[in-house]
Structure formats: structure tokens, C-alpha cells
Amino acid sequence: MALILTSALLAACSSRPPAPLDCHQALEALEQQIHRDIGISLGNSIDNLPALRSDRFVESWLTEPLEQPQAQALIAYMAALAKRAWQLEWAQLSPEQQLAWESRLATQAPQSELPLTHCLEQQQSTYQQQWQHTISQLQGQEPDDDYQDWARVLGLYPLLKGPFKHAVEKEQARLTADWQAHIHSQDDALYLPDDHAIAPPWPTADALGLPQFSAAQWQQLAMAYAPQWQIAARDPANQPGRVEYIQDEQLTVNTDKPSYYHFVSFGRHHRQTTTQLNYLLWFSERPKLSRFDWVAGQHDALLFRIHLDQRGELLAMDSVHLCGCWYQLMLPEGRGYTAQAQGEPVMMQRVTSALPVRLQVSADEHHIVGVAAASEPSSASQAIALTALPWDRLYQLSESPAPNNSDKSLPNYSFKSAFNREGIVPGSQRPERWFFWPMGVADAGSLRRLGDHAIAFVGKRYFDQARLLETLGVE
């Protein structure tokens, strides 16, 4: 009888769900699963601090001594980034996975709160209370590095960087000629933001210099400065659209829904924090222009950014393709600039200081080849409205039915991202990756998530580098 009872107890124990975990344990375990199955959506995870996320703006502060107000403002910024990222990643889990994890998260959460939200806020409160210890832990983390040093060693980078630099200079000379030679045409298509706003008054800032806009004011600011896009062709490859999945498998661009994506980021310039307004157009392809065109392929996306200083005035503009390729710097007349002799050169153009702007975009290659004030008349005979979409929508593309979902209190779908577990847009790989790997850029030519944009083959440089404008010589 004792043997039977023991066997029954063991069977009962083995059929029980996993034991509940405290918030710290649960978040760390869930983060491991997200790394394995989905991939991190925004920012970088931090060892032993699962309720915070980091980026290069954060890293720029961790190299300096911080007083309590700055330290706590930095932790608050990281907590907000983490909460946003966790919400996107949680939504990509299946309803069954969500239910299983909810049972493992701390059970002290009030019924009105999601357990994940409760755990994040609980941990973040602890980090704030123990801010000195938190900052000490953060300062012990290795900076994010998206270059593969091993590839540079195996690829004989010291020998090849000279020829690569020469090739970059040649390409930049070609693009500069395109900028100078572009001609407006009635055949161009003019894409206009479908929503307009007046920029809100510039608010006070926190201890890091971050403007304290409300969510509605951030949206108002983005709409006020959203650019127009004049594109020198009307065929499908040159029509921006909305990114979607077909039957949950194939990532495509719906050009029947012209759209642009936008988000806000932050940088630093000398002693001020800068606000960066980012706008993205997504195309179905970069078509072949020759028989052996190693940069052609599915999907192409052009990212344009406006840098505003601490008073909300224009500091600079720049752009890059979502692969990290073809970085361009655009400075208003009168802005001081000294080109740097070291490293890879940068293509710089002088442009208008009037916002918003109209961007002239080349056909097929999708380069910005001209900038004018949006108030100037356009030669285009066709105007098309662009719908504004938040960047985060790219992580919430398709709604996949959940199998065997009998719990009607749960959503019967999960979302799918435009980026795979490695942060790459599937199907966007280019033949160029086989030629450029010795420069240490992983999967060169592929479209990738925010934070992974290495923008130089010679040396190391990132699009989200906090002090990028300084390092380029912008005064």
C-alpha cells in the first residue's frame, strides 16, 4: 500500500504545472525563452536586470559620473524602453504560452493588472530605490558591438580596408553627382502625409535633457515635421506601402496602402540632448539594374531622420537604408562642419533649414538626391496620401489563429514580426554579403532591426551612436 501511495504522489507531482516564480526569476526565465524563440525586439537585454533595456543613448551616459536625478532619469528611460519591448515580445507568444507564463509569474498581482506589467513595475521600483547599485551593475556591462571582430581577422581587414575605403569614396562620388544632376519631372509621384499638425511648444526637460512631451504631443510633433516624398517613378518597385504577411508566411509590401512608419529616438551633441524624429518608407524590392547587381533583392527601406536641439530647432538631417547602407548627412546652411580625416568618409550635402521638407528620391535605388522646403511648388502631377503608422506596428503584422484555444478569455491570435530571431527581415538577404564579410558587418545588405545598423565598413560607426554628429565633425 505504501508503494502505491508513493507512486500516486509522484504521478501527481509530475503532472503539476511548474511552480510559480518570483518576479525576478520569472522575467529572467521568460527573457531566455524570448531570446531563443522570438528574438529581442527593442534595445538590448541586461544581465541580472531583466526589467530594463539598454541602447547606445544609455551607454553614452554610463561612461560619466551620474548624480541621483540623472541616474534615476536614466533608469526611468530604460524601464520605459523595456516595458515597450516586453509588450511587443509578449504579444508574439501564442495564447497558450502566455497562459503558461501567467501562471508562473508572481501571484501577488492585483486582478486589475496583467502579471507581466505588475512584475516589470515591481522590479523597476526596486531598481530606482537601489539606484546606486543599479548604475554600478549597468556600468559593468559590455558596450553593444555589432561588428564581428573574428570576421575582420579571418578576412584580413588590415589589408583590405584601403581598397574598401577607395570603393566607398567612388560610390559617394557617384551619389553626389546624382544629387547635383537630379531633375524634377511631371512623371514623379508626390507622397504627402495624410495628417497635419502644428508643432507643440517645446516643454521642460528631465535631468537627462529629455523633453517631457505627453504622448499626444509626441504624435503632434512627428506629424508637424513629417516630410513629403517625391519619387522619380510610379512602377510597383518604387511605390511605398504597408508591410504585411500573406497567409502568415511570406512578408510582402501592400502598395495599395501607401504608408510611412515613424518613431522618436534621442542623441547627444556636445552638452545637449537631441531629439530625433525618424520616418521610414518601405518598398517591395530594390530591382536589378544590371545582370550582376549584388545589391538588388526583395525589400528595401529608406530611413530619414531629423535632429532637433534642446530648443527644438533644426540641428541636422541624415538618412540611411534599413540595411545600414548609404549613410548621408544633410546640414542646413550655416551649420559648422569639419570633415574628419580618419575612418570612412561621409557624404554631406547642404540643404534648406525650413521644416517640413520635401525629399527627392531616386527611382529603383531609393536614394535621397535632393531636399527642398515642402512649401515650394512641386513638379509632380500626381499626389498620393501616406498613412502614418508607428514603428512598433512592424512587430504586430499578422494575427495567427491559436490552435485548440478553448479559453474564451484569451485572444485567439498572436502577432508576428517583420524581423526574425536574429533581427533580420526574412527574404532581404543580398549577394553582397559574400563580398563584404571581411569588413565585419554581419549579413551585409539585409534589412535589420533598430540598433543593429553599422554604417561604415572602415572603422566602426553606428546610426544610433549617441554622439554620431560630433564624431562626424558637426559643430
Side-chain angles (χ1 to χ4, degrees), residues 286 294-301 321-326 423-437 440-448 452-454 457:
R286 194 307 205 157
W294 58 59
V295 299
Q298 296 179 32
H299 298 289
D300 195 14
H321 285 235
L322 207 57
C323 54
C325 322
W326 297 292
I424 298 296
V425 174
S428 70
Q429 287 80 3
R430 302 290 198 261
E432 66 180 286
R433 67 188 186 278
W434 304 115
F435 301 98
F436 291 104
W437 69 267
V441 177
D443 214 349
S446 297
L447 279 63
R448 59 201 66 215
D452 291 347
H453 294 105
F457 287 118

Side-chain angles (χ1 to χ4, degrees), residues 451-466:
D452 291 347
H453 294 105
I455 60 172
F457 287 118
V458 180
K460 292 186 178 182
R461 187 183 297 154
Y462 300 98
F463 189 67
D464 63 331
Q465 200 169 313

Side-chain angles (χ1 to χ4, degrees), residues 243-256:
V243 183
E244 298 176 348
Y245 273 100
I246 296 178
Q247 298 178 346
D248 199 35
E249 293 295 333
Q250 182 181 354
L251 190 68
T252 187
V253 179
N254 187 344
T255 55
D256 291 331

Side-chain angles (χ1 to χ4, degrees), residues 75-367:
I75 294 169
Y77 171 88
M78 299 175 72
L81 179 62
K83 185 175 182 179
R84 178 180 158 211
W86 275 98
Q87 289 172 340
L88 295 173
E89 293 152 6
W90 178 264
Q92 293 175 56
L93 298 174
S94 70
E96 291 90 347
Q97 289 174 313
Q98 292 178 3
L99 182 61
W101 275 106
E102 283 179 355
S103 68
R104 299 193 73 190
L105 292 167
T107 57
Q108 306 93 319
Q111 289 186 348
S112 60
E113 289 186 24
L114 290 173
L116 177 62
T117 303
H118 171 77
C119 273
L120 286 171
E121 292 177 351
Q122 182 195 86
Q123 291 295 291
Q124 290 161 0
S125 176
T126 301
Y127 301 155
Q128 287 284 13
Q129 293 169 13
Q130 302 173 359
W131 65 270
Q132 290 171 307
H133 178 63
T134 302
I135 293 298
S136 177
Q137 285 183 283
L138 290 170
Q139 289 173 333
Q141 302 288 320
E142 287 293 325
D144 185 24
D145 185 356
D146 290 312
Y147 286 88
Q148 297 177 328
D149 291 333
W150 63 265
R152 288 186 161 185
V153 172
L154 293 179
L156 303 178
Y157 170 81
L159 298 178
L160 292 178
K161 66 180 182 179
F164 267 86
K165 183 177 180 180
H166 176 71
V168 168
E169 291 170 341
K170 185 177 179 180
E171 176 71 358
Q172 289 179 353
R174 181 184 72 85
L175 295 175
T176 298
D178 289 346
W179 184 291
Q180 295 168 346
H182 84 272
I183 300 173
H184 300 292
S185 169
Q186 289 186 345
D187 294 330
D188 294 354
L190 180 61
Y191 289 87
L192 305 174
D194 67 349
D195 200 1
H196 304 278
I198 298 175
W202 207 256
T204 56
D206 69 5
L208 296 180
L210 297 172
Q212 298 301 286
F213 285 116
S214 66
Q217 288 173 323
W218 278 120
Q219 180 75 6
Q220 187 180 349
L221 182 67
M223 297 303 100
Y225 293 139
Q228 300 175 3
W229 311 75
Q230 186 161 327
I231 303 176
R234 300 185 187 180
D235 60 296
N238 293 291
Q239 296 174 5
R242 186 174 302 186
V243 183
E244 298 176 348
Y245 273 100
I246 296 178
Q247 298 178 346
D248 199 35
E249 293 295 333
Q250 182 181 354
L251 190 68
T252 187
V253 179
N254 187 344
T255 55
D256 291 331
K257 298 177 180 178
S259 306
Y260 72 93
Y261 297 86
H262 65 93
F263 64 94
V264 177
S265 54
F266 302 97
R268 303 179 70 187
H269 190 64
H270 300 295
R271 296 186 178 182
Q272 61 180 321
T273 294
T274 60
T275 297
Q276 302 166 344
L277 306 178
N278 299 261
Y279 304 91
L280 179 88
L281 288 191
W282 199 300
F283 302 92
S284 61
E285 64 173 320
R286 194 307 205 157
K288 276 191 172 185
L289 302 181
S290 63
R291 184 178 179 184
F292 301 106
D293 191 340
W294 58 59
V295 299
Q298 296 179 32
H299 298 289
D300 195 14
L302 175 61
L303 180 58
F304 172 70
R305 181 169 65 178
I306 299 171
H307 301 256
L308 302 176
D309 66 17
Q310 61 188 359
R311 298 180 299 275
E313 297 176 359
L314 177 63
L315 175 61
M317 298 179 249
D318 54 6
S319 69
V320 74
H321 285 235
L322 207 57
C323 54
C325 322
W326 297 292
Y327 176 81
Q328 294 187 78
L329 176 63
M330 292 158 269
L331 297 179
E333 295 292 344
R335 175 64 60 186
Y337 174 69
T338 304
Q340 301 302 292
Q342 300 298 318
E344 186 173 300
V346 168
M347 188 173 74
M348 191 279 290
Q349 302 292 345
R350 290 290 180 181
V351 297
T352 180
S353 60
L355 294 175
V357 295
R358 180 183 305 120
L359 304 172
Q360 182 73 36
V361 180
S362 65
D364 300 331
E365 292 185 290
H366 307 137
H367 295 308

Side-chain angles (χ1 to χ4, degrees), residues 367-382:
H367 295 308
I368 295 175
V369 293
V371 178
S375 57
E376 293 184 9
S378 169
S379 61
S381 59
Q382 182 184 20

